[in-house]
Each structure stands twice: as structure tokens, then as C-alpha cells.
Amino acid sequence: MTTPNPTTNLPDSNTNPVRTIALFLLPIVLLIGVIALFVYTAGAGLNAPPAAPIESLEFERTSLRNGEIELGVRNTSPQAITLSVMIINDAVWPFSASPSLTIPRLGRAVLSTRFPWVEAEMYAVKLFSTNAVPFETVIEAATETKTTDTATLLSFTLIGLYVGVIPIFLGMLWFPALRRLGPRAFTFLMAVTVGLLIFLGIDATTEALELAGEIGGPFQGIGLVGIGIVATFLLLDAISRRQQRIGRSESEQRLAVASMIAVGIGLHNLGEGLAIGAAFSSGAAALGAFLVIGFIIQNITEGLGIIAPVVRDRPAFASLVWLGIIGGAPAILGAWIGGLIYWRPAGVLFPAIGAGAVFEVVYELAKLIQRDTRNRPMPLTVFAGASLGMFMLYVTGLLIK
């Protein structure tokens, strides 16, 4: 009896490349033909016009200057929209649109009107299309929008430092005290870190899903959330597996895990900076300040999570500094993006990326805990630590939500 050769079923590498390309293009050409047939037959005879116009408009960015209001809007409906009327607090106001009052599908326009707004007042803005379809937004607390200049960039940089860099380094100052812990206490600390990260991941996912429901249908918010979480998880997992194949000592592997935690927390802080910057740029300065204070309190625990895997070791001081920068500095970039060029789909994608990174780090930490407790399981210790970690962020979250 002859053994089958496993290579006999493989494709022939010497086949004609032109024929291969033609075979790949054949289904696409047939698909185009099917679509053309469907359009030519008016949707198989079922393509009836809707009873009412299908129009939707997304408000992206509101800018307030001295005696003027600017609204950035994007058309998320299936067809072009022509705007006709602007009403502010039940009064009709003249306005101009750039580049045009007619906005194509997925196109953007900036609407400007001269309006004597008053600091801290709330204004309800309603737009009507030529088909009398209304679109509404609310300016919660009017305040002059920051312009893109050196002072503004410095302000957002300081916000990022307060939110991300400083509290994470403060949390890392627990390093000398944590080195005095025994094996059970170390396992408990690792479990606390897992609980912290699980809570952060769930919180980021919830935030991304909430924002996904606010953006227009064509941007497919739920799909963006899925892409951000899954793609980030798989990418970091691939990087981690690649590092594990390199011969490293246990201390180097633990430092690699700490680096992955710092990356995950850094991506999460990118989303936090985005939220704070957007709050300030949209005129909700009081909300932005409240978020800063809450995130400062919360993020000190993230510094604890970064150093947890390397407590047993003696990492170089420069390594600890880099871990803190990786974990905290993205908050500065997020504040810049949120305050200066905020775009809602990015506001959905960034928290999802942070969630995917955090979940992958949880997976790596779980493997590390399992390896360290293989000979001496501590299920109740792990349960207590993870529960405490989640509860700690729940309590600090009360200051933010």
C-alpha cells in the first residue's frame, strides 16, 4: 500500500499567472453583471419610491466665536440633502453654508450664522431640509471655542500630563513597597491588575458602543467597534507570540508582559484624552474639568497594574520610565485629536482599540498567573484580587460617570 504524497493536492506553482488572474476576476465580473441587471430591471419591479424622504444629518463639531456660531455637519443619508432653514431657540436665523447648501451623500458642510450668544447659556439648534425634515442639536453651555495655536496645544498637553502621565508615575511609586510582598500577595496583586484591566476593557467597550449608536448609519459604528477590538487583540497577540519564540529569561518575559500592559493602558488613555479634548472643544468646559479630576484618580491604579509583573525583578530605572511614558503619554495625543480635529468615527474606533488591547493584556496576565501558580493553585486569592480590582475602578468611576 502506497502512502499518499501530501504535496500532490497542492496547486501547481508553474501555472499560467494570466489564467489565474482571470479566474479570480470572473466572479467579480459576473457580480457586476448581476448588479447591472438588478438596476436595469428597477429592483426586480419592487423599487418603489419611499413614502417620505429618507434624510439624516450628523452634527460633527460646533464652534463658537464672538457673535458667531459654526456648525460642522455631514450628510449620512442615501441621497443629497439641501438645507433651507435654521432655527435657534424657536427663532429663525439667516445662515450661510460652505461649500454649498446642498450636501452630497457623506459630504460635509460648515454652516455659519451671526448670533449674539451668551456665555454658559444653552441653545437648541434645529435645521430643516427643503423636504421639511428636521435635524436637531443642543449647545449645552456656550463658550468660545479654542483656536489652534501654541497656547491651546500647551493646554491640551498639560491636560494629557495631568490625566495620563502624572497619575501613572504616581502609581508606579508603589514599586519599592510591593517588592516586600510574598508569593501569595504577589498573586493577589496580579489578580487585582487583571480585575482593573477587565473593568477598563468593559468600560471602553460600553463607551464605544454608545458612541457607535450616535454616528450615521453609513459609518457602521458597531462594525468599527468589532474591527477595533478584534484586530487590536489579534495584532498584540501575534506580537506577544513572536516575542515568546525568542529565547528570553523569565525576568525578560515578565518585562515584556509589563510592556504589553503599558501599551494596552496607553491605547485606553488615548481614548480618555480624546473624550476630554472633545468635551473642552464642544464648549462643555465644566464637564472637561470634571473628567480630568476623575481620570486622575482612576489612572493612579493603572500605574500599579503596569509594574505588577516586574515586582519580583529589578528592572532598570530607564525601563520603568519608558513604561510610564508608554502608558500615559497617549493621553496627550488623544487630547490634541479630541480638542482640535475630533471626528466621531475616530471617537468610536479609539475606545474599541483600547478595549481590544486591554483584553489581550488580560489574556497574557492570565497565562502568567496560571504558570506561577501551577504547583500551588490559589483560586480564592485570584478571585478576591480580581474582584477587588474591578471594585476599585467601579468606585473611582463614580467620580466620572
Side-chain angles (χ1 to χ4, degrees):
M1 181 177 179
T2 59
T3 303
N5 186 354
T7 62
T8 57
N9 293 326
L10 295 178
D12 185 2
S13 60
N14 296 321
T15 55
N16 187 346
V18 176
R19 183 179 180 183
T20 301
I21 294 174
L23 290 174
F24 270 110
L25 292 177
L26 178 61
I28 299 176
V29 173
L30 294 176
L31 176 63
I32 294 174
V34 171
I35 294 174
L37 178 63
F38 180 81
V39 173
Y40 180 75
T41 58
L46 299 176
N47 190 12
I54 302 174
E55 297 182 342
S56 60
L57 196 70
E58 178 184 341
F59 292 87
E60 290 189 338
R61 182 182 175 91
T62 301
S63 299
L64 278 73
R65 298 180 181 86
N66 186 20
E68 184 179 8
I69 296 178
E70 282 189 359
L71 301 172
V73 296
R74 188 176 297 273
N75 177 11
T76 55
S77 56
Q79 68 279 325
I81 292 177
T82 301
L83 299 176
S84 59
V85 177
M86 175 184 290
I87 297 177
I88 303 178
N89 286 1
D90 298 326
V92 177
W93 286 86
F95 71 101
S96 61
S98 175
S100 171
L101 288 172
T102 300
I103 310 173
R105 182 177 187 270
L106 298 183
R108 187 177 186 273
V110 177
L111 313 180
S112 302
T113 182
R114 300 295 301 175
F115 183 84
W117 57 269
V118 179
E119 186 80 18
E121 290 290 329
M122 183 181 72
Y123 297 99
V125 181
K126 182 180 293 187
L127 301 172
F128 284 89
S129 70
T130 52
N131 291 316
V133 177
F135 314 103
E136 300 181 52
T137 188
V138 175
I139 301 172
E140 298 288 350
T143 188
E144 187 164 357
T145 304
K146 294 181 178 292
T147 57
T148 306
D149 53 23
T150 303
T152 302
L153 290 177
L154 178 60
S155 297
F156 285 130
T157 300
L158 290 175
I159 290 173
L161 287 172
Y162 280 122
V163 168
V165 179
I166 293 176
I168 283 183
F169 275 110
L170 289 178
M172 295 176 70
L173 290 178
W174 276 314
F175 185 81
L178 296 176
R179 283 185 56 82
R180 300 174 178 269
L181 301 178
R184 182 175 292 276
F186 176 77
T187 300
F188 179 78
L189 174 61
M190 295 291 288
V192 168
T193 303
V194 168
L196 292 172
L197 294 175
I198 289 175
F199 193 96
L200 286 177
I202 294 174
D203 185 63
T205 302
T206 303
E207 178 185 353
L209 290 173
E210 289 176 353
L211 293 172
E214 298 176 3
I215 66 174
F219 293 112
Q220 305 171 74
I222 301 298
L224 281 178
V225 174
I227 290 172
I229 293 176
V230 175
T232 305
F233 184 97
L234 294 178
L235 175 62
L236 293 182
D237 183 62
I239 295 173
S240 176
R241 291 176 185 271
R242 194 181 190 90
Q243 291 178 338
Q244 290 174 1
R245 287 197 293 267
I246 303 173
R248 290 184 172 183
S249 63
E250 288 191 8
S251 62
E252 290 175 332
Q253 292 179 4
R254 286 193 287 268
L255 181 60
V257 171
S259 300
M260 297 294 288
I261 293 176
V263 170
I265 288 177
L267 292 173
H268 178 264
N269 283 335
L270 182 71
E272 290 185 351
L274 187 79
I276 294 172
F280 275 101
S281 69
S282 64
L287 174 60
F290 195 65
L291 287 173
V292 169
I293 295 172
F295 284 138
I296 288 174
I297 296 172
Q298 174 180 292
N299 287 359
I300 194 171
T301 59
E302 295 178 357
L304 173 66
I306 290 174
I307 61 173
V310 294
V311 166
R312 292 179 178 177
D313 310 313
R314 293 184 179 275
F317 178 76
S319 298
L320 293 177
V321 171
W322 273 113
L323 290 177
I325 292 174
I326 292 171
I332 299 174
L333 178 61
W336 286 355
I337 296 173
L340 303 177
I341 53 173
Y342 181 67
W343 187 43
R344 281 195 172 185
V348 174
L349 186 60
F350 285 172
I353 290 174
V358 165
F359 288 140
E360 202 285 328
V361 171
V362 169
Y363 175 65
E364 295 297 329
L365 278 176
K367 292 192 296 184
L368 186 61
I369 293 174
Q370 185 180 26
R371 186 173 69 242
D372 289 347
T373 60
R374 185 179 296 116
N375 299 325
R376 190 182 178 187
M378 307 178 195
L380 290 180
T381 301
V382 173
F383 162 76
S387 300
L388 177 62
M390 297 185 72
F391 184 72
M392 287 169 58
L393 281 194
Y394 173 78
V395 172
T396 57
L398 292 176
L399 300 173
I400 303 174
K401 301 298 181 182

